[in-house]
Amino acid sequence: MTDSSETDHAFATRAIHAGSEPDPRTGAVIPPIHLSSTYKQDGVGGFRNGYEYSRSANPTRDALQEQLAAIEGGARALSFASGLAAEDALLRALCQPGDTILLGNDAYGGTYRLINAVFGNWGVKHFAVDLTDSSAASDAIAAYRPKIVWVETPTNPLMNIVDIRKTAELAHQVGALLVVDNTFATPYLQQPLALGADVVVHSVTKYLGGHSDVVGGALIFADPGHADAVAYNQNAAGAVSGPFDAWLTMRGIKTLAVRVKQHSENAAAIVAGLVGHPKIEKINYPGLESHPGHEIAAAQMREGMFGGMLSIQVTGGRDAARKLVDSTDIFILAESLGGVESLIEYPYDMTHASVQGTDLAVPENLVRLSVGIEDAEDLLADLQQALDKI
Ligand SMILES: *Cc1c(COP(=O)(O)O)cnc(C)c1O
């Protein structure tokens, strides 16, 4: 739970202070990492502050959870071993065999695989629709009456924009819950719970950790009842984050505001430098006025910022795209995103290989960039020299 003094403060203040009270015994400004797996009981069942065993609760994980709830404006948060572990726990707690999940038709490949290949075997159905088209979304929600509507915005890797407020209204009309994967935007740029979402999902591996040195996931809930149901499942099934991972994630979140501001500025500078390049057919970036979701993104994201992710579609198809990702010096060819260093990847055969041949397959000439916080002129020059080689 966030206390009221935290919710009164603006974003960066909350990110830095929530969950990080100086240690009451020593005054240590940075609370220690509690590695202990178990806790002394003062007589059988005499738990100190509820601590019994670290799968059930751990002070470092609790501190991170407090910070996560504060930055997303939620009632409660839970920290997991990975983004997909968080998604799995959420869906297992909230769905039964026979229920339907409605998701966007360019959801993250791993999310689609989990819902399709794992939950499909347990009798949970799913339908993928273009949620950027609100009349298609409205028709599908009315027809399928899903238990959960799953939204990513911006989407990975096509950078499509979904109207969170409108989709929340449509979901709630049929009693569905709206889940928003806020990994790409981060809570600094976008606050889904304030726009009507019920649950926010994060791969904290990406921007929240921010330094490509921790794998983790999180769920943030508007309704503490949903949190209780998922927390029961998390303790029963065990996909918790370890204390050191939780601590690294906390450290990352403290600089989220300054990092995301710079990621956004750098991405905008790169897009401005690449617009009209003869080797580029299309730039997918919601900050471009020509982007079909630009106005919605501008309204639901922080003013003037559109994040550090973009994708480009090159002339010359698959071979040219693969050559481009092999030709950069500063942009590192790697999966994942959201770290301080710039990354480049070929979604068709890398992050989105698991959706080849499905409705969610991505274009073969697509290259995804995670723009880091190096100097923007170096990043642009690197891309220009690599484009010259294709
Ligand atoms: C990476 C990612 C996930 C999965 O998270 P992991 O931490 O890799 O398990 C989910 N959603 C999005 C948008 C992602 O980028």
Side-chain angles (χ1 to χ4, degrees), residues 82-84 87 108 111 152 156 181 183-184 203 205-206 216 337:
S82 72
L84 284 172
E87 296 182 14
Y108 171 69
T111 298
E152 280 178 38
N156 175 12
D181 183 333
T183 299
F184 266 40
S203 170
T205 314
K206 316 295 170 45
L337 60 109

Side-chain angles (χ1 to χ4, degrees), residues 109-124 126 354:
T111 298
Y112 183 72
R113 181 176 55 195
L114 176 69
I115 288 173
N116 178 40
V118 178
F119 280 90
N121 285 340
W122 291 93
V124 174
H126 70 272
S354 66

Side-chain angles (χ1 to χ4, degrees), residues 38-53:
T38 190
Y39 303 84
K40 174 181 162 58
Q41 301 187 13
D42 297 319
V44 175
F47 307 145
R48 299 190 187 177
N49 297 310
Y51 291 108
E52 172 187 13
Y53 179 63

Side-chain angles (χ1 to χ4, degrees), residues 93-118:
L94 301 183
C95 291
Q96 310 258 327
D99 286 342
T100 297
I101 299 167
L102 189 76
L103 75 167
N105 62 357
D106 62 348
Y108 171 69
T111 298
Y112 183 72
R113 181 176 55 195
L114 176 69
I115 288 173
N116 178 40
V118 178

Side-chain angles (χ1 to χ4, degrees), residues 11 15 68 71-73 153-154 164 180-193 195 200-210 220 252-253 255-261 263-264 300-302 305-309 337-339:
F11 185 87
L68 287 163
I71 60 174
E72 285 284 4
T153 182
I164 296 172
V180 174
D181 183 333
N182 206 26
T183 299
F184 266 40
T186 83
Y188 179 65
L189 297 182
Q190 182 168 280
Q191 297 265 301
L193 299 179
L195 295 166
V200 167
V201 175
H202 276 283
S203 170
V204 311
T205 314
K206 316 295 170 45
Y207 285 103
L208 300 197
I220 302 96
I253 290 172
T255 56
L256 185 69
V258 283
R259 283 187 289 107
V260 172
K261 210 179 283 180
H263 283 293
S264 299
Q300 72 186 12
M301 297 174 81
R302 190 179 283 266
M305 288 186 221
F306 299 91
M309 296 302 299
L337 60 109

